[in-house]
Amino acid sequence: MNYTAAHQVALERFRAASLEAMARCSGFPLEGNALSVEFLGGHYYVDYPEGNFRLQASAEELPVFTQILILHYLTNLTESAATGQLISFKELPGGSIYIQPFTHRAIDPLVRSFGPEPDKLLEAAARLGGQANELGNVGVTLRVFPRVSVTLILWSADDEFPASGNILFDSSAASILPTEDYAVLASVVVGALKRRISSN
C-alpha cells in the first residue's frame, strides 16, 4: 500500500498543531522543539515542526505506517480519560465492516505465534512493559501510548476447540484514534511481540 498521501496529511496536521497542546494531550514530554516518544520499547524524538523521527539508543527504524499512527495520536488534541471498560474491534465505529481484515492482520498472527505456547506471550509482553491480566487462559495489557492500551487474550486449545484469541481496547478508544488505526496498531503490537520471542 502507498502511504505517501496519508503521511503528508499527517505531517500537515502535525505542523499546524501547537507543540505544547500536543505534549499536554498526548502525555509525551517535550525536549526542546521535539516530543519525546516511547513506543513499544523504542525511544524516539519527533522534531517540530518537521515531523522527523529521530531514533535513540537501540530503537528500531519505524516504517512509514507506524509513523503515521504516532502522528495521528500526537495530533488528536482531546484529553479523553480511560474508562476501564474493554471493547472489541467490532464495537469501534465501523469496526464490524473491517473485522475480517483486523482478524487476518492481528488476531490470527497472535494465535499462530503464541497459541501453542501461551506463556511466551507473557514473556514477550513483559519485555515491552506489559502486564498480565486475568482474562482468558493467558492475557496481557500493554500501554502503547499514554492514553491507549491494548489487551491481548489467548485461550488454549483443548480436545474440542483450537486455540483462539482476541484483542480489546478501552471504550475511550474511538475518541483518540480512528478505527482503521486500531487495526494497524494491533498488527504492530503483535509484530513487536513476535520479534521479542524470535530474538531469544
Side-chain angles (χ1 to χ4, degrees), residues 160-179:
E160 295 185 47
F161 300 102
S164 61
N166 205 354
I167 299 175
L168 306 178
F169 309 95
D170 189 84
S171 64
S172 64
S175 66
I176 300 171
L177 289 170
T179 297

Side-chain angles (χ1 to χ4, degrees), residues 121-163:
L121 178 61
L122 295 173
E123 296 172 20
R127 294 179 180 183
L128 294 174
Q131 302 289 328
N133 58 48
E134 297 182 353
L135 301 173
N137 293 120
V138 170
V140 296
T141 299
L142 289 89
R143 186 170 295 281
V144 185
F145 295 126
R147 293 190 293 121
V148 176
S149 293
V150 177
T151 294
L152 304 97
I153 308 167
L154 283 173
W155 290 272
S156 301
D158 59 25
D159 293 339
E160 295 185 47
F161 300 102

